Amino acid sequence: MKVINVVGARPNFMKVAPLHRAFSRFPEIHSIVVHTGQHSDACMSDVFLEQLKMPPPDYLLRLSAASATCQFSEIMTGFEKILQKEKPDLVLVAGDVNSTLACALAASKADIPVAHVEAGLRSGDRSMPEEINRILTDALSAHLFVTEPSAVQNLLLENVPMQKIHLVGNVMIDSLIGITGSWCPESATNISEQSRYILWTMHRPSNVDTEVMLTKMLAMITHLARRWTVLFPVHPRTMKNLCTFGLADQLCSIRNVQVLPPQGYMEFLKLMTGAMVVVTDSGGVQEETTFLQIPCITLRESTERPVTVERGSNLLLYPFDEKRIEDNIAAIQQGLWKKGSIPEYWDGRTAERIVSILKAQYLNL
Ligand code: UDP
């Protein structure tokens, strides 16, 4: 059985690494990794391959694309050639980035079944590019591997047959458990006097693509930095927009704010476990803070990962302003925050479950 695993952007590496490893344990499975080049900077790509101990990808596409549409067409054209050469039995895509949908679509045009890992998540907000990628990828997929019960319900509401849906847990947590080794949630929850910093990450278009929203974000950070230290690893998209609107210098000059480049996975997890609170709009970070039981404030109107709010340590803050965020962080400092619990199957064995379901299907094993 030959499987092509697709990676393209930062959050894909954590999801695909444990799957490629799990596939590779079986001599009857040939597991290939295709990197679409959607994120190609060393700090958004190479560092993750290295830290997650992934071999160099079997194929790396080179993209010149300026717009999302060009990116789709370049990925699909490049990926189609790989499909023609490799003739895989299955294409596995993860998450909700453009590479996920582009490769799912190219595979489905070539009549090759698609497995979608992290299927069924829905924010209900179609203005999010990721939501469109999620809906279309699921519609094209033969195997839908889901992380939380809400995703099963979403897929059933879209008339996906139950036999295609598998609640298997969260492969991202496989990577987290693998890399942190001896770390356990309990050891990560202590908020000591020394670790009273806010870890800030922000890159969703709705938060960083306009001058109005970036100015609002700077006002909040400036306000919070009067009371607490803020660590801010800045996503390239956010930095590009800060520069475009002439706001980068303003951010760098705020006292008590450390502006950092995008962090390696290990470095970021360490920053996360030492934080008093993580303020984010990232999907993966909402899940990782839930697993680590670290307070998380998500600056978004909706989340496609409701289990992180219902069971985990996440709070959606919307609308948000200086006062609301300060009040919430003050509550966290006083210990008035839910620790939450870890969702079912987020146990480090999700890749194993996925591979065993696919083996049964394709190899009758
Ligand atoms: N992450 C990282 N370095 C950073 C910020 C995030 O390694 O500076 C990791 C984070 O721990 C998580 C993943 O990147 O595993 C989330 O990626 P991102 O926020 O880019 O995408 P999303 O999850 O929102 O799709």
Side-chain angles (χ1 to χ4, degrees):
M1 173 188 181
K2 191 187 275 188
V3 185
I4 291 189
N5 305 278
V6 176
V7 292
R10 177 166 73 186
N12 292 151
F13 301 104
M14 302 75 180
K15 294 167 194 169
V16 168
L19 285 159
H20 177 56
R21 203 168 301 124
F23 282 131
S24 302
R25 279 195 201 107
F26 298 95
E28 57 275 49
I29 304 180
H30 181 190
S31 178
I32 292 175
V33 175
V34 173
H35 188 330
T36 66
Q38 187 183 333
H39 280 164
S40 52
D41 300 357
C43 67
M44 296 296 282
S45 167
D46 303 7
V47 65
F48 300 105
L49 292 171
E50 190 191 309
Q51 293 190 349
L52 291 158
K53 299 194 169 36
M54 283 182 82
D58 299 275
Y59 293 90
L60 172 62
L61 300 178
R62 302 247 170 243
L63 306 183
S64 58
S67 71
T69 306
C70 291
Q71 198 173 68
F72 270 99
S73 96
E74 286 188 2
I75 295 172
M76 286 183 68
T77 311
F79 194 59
E80 183 183 40
K81 291 194 184 105
I82 298 169
L83 293 175
Q84 284 162 353
K85 182 166 168 235
E86 294 290 348
K87 301 190 177 18
D89 299 293
L90 180 72
V91 167
L92 184 144
V93 296
D96 56 16
V97 299
N98 290 348
S99 304
T100 310
L101 173 58
C103 293
L105 189 50
S108 109
K109 291 284 166 207
D111 213 15
I112 296 163
V114 175
H116 185 203
V117 172
E118 202 184 272
L121 296 179
R122 298 286 181 270
S123 66
D125 175 2
R126 289 197 180 204
S127 69
M128 286 181 81
E130 299 87 348
E131 182 79 347
I132 304 300
N133 293 344
R134 290 190 277 260
I135 293 168
L136 297 179
T137 304
D138 286 341
L140 297 168
S141 297
H143 314 281
L144 297 130
F145 295 108
V146 312
T147 50
E148 59 168 272
S150 73
V152 177
Q153 293 312 314
N154 295 333
L155 292 169
L156 291 175
L157 285 172
E158 291 171 20
N159 297 319
V160 175
M162 190 61 203
Q163 63 269 26
K164 284 184 165 188
I165 306 170
H166 308 278
L167 176 57
V168 286
N170 195 325
V171 273
M172 214 171 195
I173 302 304
D174 290 15
S175 276
L176 191 154
I177 291 173
I179 209 155
T180 54
S182 57
W183 290 359
C184 62
E186 287 72 25
S187 70
T189 51
N190 292 332
I191 300 170
S192 70
E193 282 300 324
Q194 292 77 37
S195 66
R196 294 194 179 275
Y197 59 82
I198 299 165
L199 178 62
W200 192 285
T201 72
M202 207 66 32
H203 67 281
R204 293 263 97 76
S206 58
N207 280 335
V208 305
D209 276 8
T210 61
E211 189 174 356
V212 171
M213 289 309 290
L214 282 175
T215 305
K216 189 171 174 148
M217 180 177 78
L218 288 190
M220 286 199 293
I221 293 177
T222 307
H223 183 77
L224 296 175
R226 295 195 188 115
R227 270 179 88 168
W228 299 288
T229 299
V230 180
L231 269 53
F232 185 3
V234 186
H235 190 282
R237 178 188 192 98
T238 309
M239 186 48 87
K240 182 169 159 271
N241 292 338
L242 284 164
C243 293
T244 304
F245 296 119
L247 296 169
D249 288 346
Q250 191 183 326
L251 172 65
C252 294
S253 64
I254 308 171
R255 232 191 102 251
N256 232 4
V257 175
Q258 290 182 36
V259 177
L260 304 169
Q263 299 291 292
Y265 184 46
M266 265 184 216
E267 292 77 7
F268 189 74
L269 289 177
K270 282 185 187 149
L271 289 180
M272 209 153 45
T273 53
M276 171 175 65
V277 55
V278 183
V279 179
T280 194
D281 60 9
S282 157
V285 171
Q286 293 175 63
E287 297 180 332
E288 289 166 343
T289 47
T290 280
F291 180 78
L292 294 166
Q293 301 183 298
I294 294 166
C296 178
I297 297 178
T298 299
L299 299 185
R300 283 177 46 187
E301 192 170 9
S302 56
T303 179
E304 60 290 332
R305 293 157 160 93
V307 79
T308 63
V309 176
E310 288 153 14
R311 283 193 62 171
S313 54
N314 188 20
L315 170 86
L316 286 189
L317 195 63
Y318 192 91
F320 43 82
D321 58 34
E322 287 102 304
K323 173 88 175 74
R324 288 196 78 203
I325 195 163
E326 183 186 8
D327 288 350
N328 276 285
I329 295 178
I332 289 167
Q333 193 171 30
Q334 289 163 33
L336 303 172
W337 202 259
K338 54 181 177 154
K339 187 177 165 197
S341 59
I342 297 171
E344 203 180 359
Y345 303 127
W346 292 21
D347 58 1
R349 301 185 56 189
T350 297
E352 209 178 292
R353 281 183 210 107
I354 292 174
V355 172
S356 90
I357 290 166
L358 291 172
K359 268 175 64 197
Q361 195 108 13
Y362 287 83
L363 296 168
N364 286 325
L365 292 175

